[in-house]
Amino acid sequence: MKNLIKLEEAGQFLASIILFSRLDYVWWIFPAALLLPDLSMLGYLINPKVGAWIYNFFHHKLLAIIVLVVGWLIYEPIFILTGIILFAHSSMDRMFGYGLKFTDNFHHTHLGLIGKDQQNKIN
């Protein structure tokens, strides 16, 4: 099942690249902006609950789709770009096994445990 999910996410990531290629931005904007959604991890400096909420908000694909559609409806290229980047980033994360976070531990995701906790039980 994990391979099927990774394949699906890879397809969504590729779709994001194709959508980006239709915009009037230089190519390097895509890789330069691709990791920006991870700034949402700064919420973990407050506590795990706030961190998980902020992280999940910016890594939820519905947010990406809403921003993309709103940008398309009002034809605002920066919104379209933002939606594509959010979607691409979330797909990339899930392709590598990083899912939405539970509030108990950064390493506890909806796709399973990540990092050092993958070997250890969450306390």
Side-chain angles (χ1 to χ4, degrees):
M1 183 59 85
K2 281 189 176 189
N3 288 335
L4 186 59
I5 291 172
K6 288 180 182 184
L7 184 61
E8 180 182 34
E9 297 299 339
Q12 292 176 22
F13 185 73
L14 179 61
S16 299
I17 293 171
I18 292 168
L19 286 173
F20 174 79
S21 72
R22 307 294 297 158
L23 299 177
D24 290 329
Y25 287 97
V26 292
W27 70 268
W28 58 265
I29 293 292
F30 187 85
L34 192 56
L35 295 179
L36 289 176
D38 276 341
L39 289 174
S40 63
M41 285 190 282
L42 292 173
Y44 279 94
L45 294 174
I46 298 170
N47 65 48
K49 187 174 183 175
V50 170
W53 193 92
I54 294 171
Y55 181 92
N56 290 343
F57 180 77
F58 285 102
H59 286 76
H60 199 284
K61 289 183 182 177
L62 182 58
L63 173 66
I65 292 168
I66 289 169
V67 171
L68 176 62
V69 168
V70 167
W72 180 70
L73 289 174
I74 65 172
Y75 193 72
E76 184 57 50
I78 194 68
F79 281 21
I80 297 170
L81 173 65
T82 301
I84 290 171
I85 293 298
L86 287 169
F87 194 84
H89 179 88
S90 295
S91 296
M92 181 185 69
D93 269 5
R94 292 182 186 134
M95 190 170 49
F96 292 126
Y98 298 102
L100 299 174
K101 310 297 184 196
F102 286 95
T103 58
D104 62 337
N105 185 314
F106 177 81
H107 300 282
H108 188 193
T109 77
H110 84 286
L111 296 176
L113 297 175
I114 58 171
K116 64 181 172 76
D117 285 331
Q118 192 172 24
Q119 307 298 340
N120 304 324
K121 188 177 182 180
I122 294 179
N123 296 326

